[in-house]
Amino acid sequence: MTPLAQLPAGAWTNLAGVFTDIDDTLTTDGAITPDALQALAALKAAGLHVIPITGRPVGWSEPFAATWPVDAIVAENGAAALIPSQIGLQRPPGKRRQLSKIYQQDAATRTANFARMQRVLAHIEAAVPGARRAADSGGRACDIAIDHGEFTHLPQEAIDQCVALMRAAGMQATVSSIHINGWFGAHDKLAGARWIVRALLGRNLDAELARWVYVGDSTNDQVMFAHFPHSVGVANIARFAARLAHPPRWVTRGERGAGFAEVTAQVLAARR
């Protein structure tokens, strides 16, 4: 990972937008920092698309999609998306935008998968010492999550055991900075990014990957790091460095929200 400060002049010209993780990328101690929120607004004001992609549940994401200056939020590792009715910054103070909620899977598939996932979740909680479902589980529609770093701290061997049990049940599994997520289906963050660009903008993301920056902080961002030529890790990604088969190309000096603000400064400088 090369320090972002060494980004060559002209490397980020002609950008279309920024995809970003949320937890520990935009947030610090669970809340978005003022500098990160200002950075989102600055990107939108510059005419760029801004789309967070998170492992958090669709229910948890709703208030942020309604109030943050973003085009959409893709939740549950690509399974669902929340699209504000009015794109942009202009709205009455304190008023939330109305949201459209869309899913990659149809309702019947989601219902069947939900029942299967609850059985896997119960089995993990019974089989892995200390494993507990994430506090935000009530808002989840398309995946399950075990808390390993938000309110509960699991050792690495327990995290690995949870991942193994999910995969043994036929699920995809990934580990963020706070949760272990599992789901049935072919979607992931990259599939979610392709889907939202097609649904929202009517465009093919693969044809313009070099016009987007992706910012993340954890092992569950690796599929994005591997595909986006302009991939950035905020500095706290260092805790996962040994587990990254696909590290980001660049790394910020600042951690979490400060790191995202650093990326935004580079993006805006390139536009000038």
Side-chain angles (χ1 to χ4, degrees):
M1 296 182 285
T2 303
L4 184 61
Q6 297 178 22
L7 183 75
W12 283 4
T13 58
N14 197 33
L15 291 178
V18 175
F19 287 108
T20 179
D21 177 57
I22 293 180
D23 283 297
D24 292 321
T25 300
L26 292 178
T27 66
T28 301
D29 296 327
I32 191 167
T33 54
D35 54 351
L37 189 59
Q38 184 177 5
L40 293 176
L43 291 169
K44 285 298 300 170
L48 290 156
H49 297 295
V50 183
I51 304 175
I53 300 188
T54 180
R56 287 284 196 172
V58 66
W60 180 93
S61 303
E62 286 180 1
F64 309 117
T67 57
W68 290 356
V70 297
D71 293 80
I73 291 181
V74 179
E76 300 190 29
N77 287 293
L82 296 160
I83 303 174
S85 57
Q86 298 178 3
I87 303 300
L89 301 175
Q90 300 303 317
R91 64 180 185 278
K95 184 174 178 60
R96 293 185 175 187
R97 296 175 292 181
Q98 296 296 310
L99 299 174
S100 297
K101 188 184 300 183
I102 59 175
Y103 295 93
Q104 293 227 51
Q105 298 172 334
D106 61 35
T109 300
R110 295 198 306 272
T111 298
N113 285 346
F114 187 84
R116 296 168 66 197
M117 290 189 298
Q118 298 314 300
R119 292 192 291 271
V120 177
L121 181 58
H123 175 58
I124 291 172
E125 289 182 312
V128 181
R132 297 291 181 269
R133 66 192 64 194
D136 62 13
S137 292
R140 294 186 178 276
C142 303
D143 77 349
I144 56 174
I146 297 291
D147 186 349
H148 77 79
E150 187 175 24
F151 302 109
T152 300
H153 295 279
L154 291 180
Q156 189 60 50
E157 56 268 27
I159 294 172
D160 294 342
Q161 188 178 357
C162 291
V163 169
L165 288 172
M166 289 176 180
R167 291 177 177 165
M171 305 176 78
Q172 291 206 58
T174 189
V175 181
S176 76
S177 61
I178 56 172
H179 292 159
I180 308 156
N181 297 92
W183 64 92
F184 292 109
H187 57 272
D188 56 19
K189 283 192 171 186
L190 179 61
R194 288 168 170 154
W195 171 59
I196 197 62
V197 167
R198 183 171 61 250
L200 189 65
L201 307 177
R203 305 204 308 249
N204 178 357
L205 177 60
D206 288 324
E208 54 181 69
L209 278 175
R211 299 189 63 206
W212 292 80
V213 172
Y214 181 75
V215 191
D217 76 297
S218 186
T219 55
N220 74 330
D221 295 307
Q222 290 187 92
V223 66
M224 303 295 270
F225 295 154
H227 283 81
F228 282 77
H230 306 311
S231 62
V232 186
V234 289
N236 43 293
I237 199 170
R239 63 182 282 209
F240 297 106
R243 292 183 170 270
L244 291 174
H246 301 287
R249 181 172 182 183
W250 307 98
V251 64
T252 65
R253 180 178 61 256
E255 295 189 347
R256 299 176 173 84
F260 184 81
E262 188 180 328
V263 175
T264 295
Q266 287 280 13
V267 170
L268 297 179
R271 289 182 75 78
R272 291 193 293 270

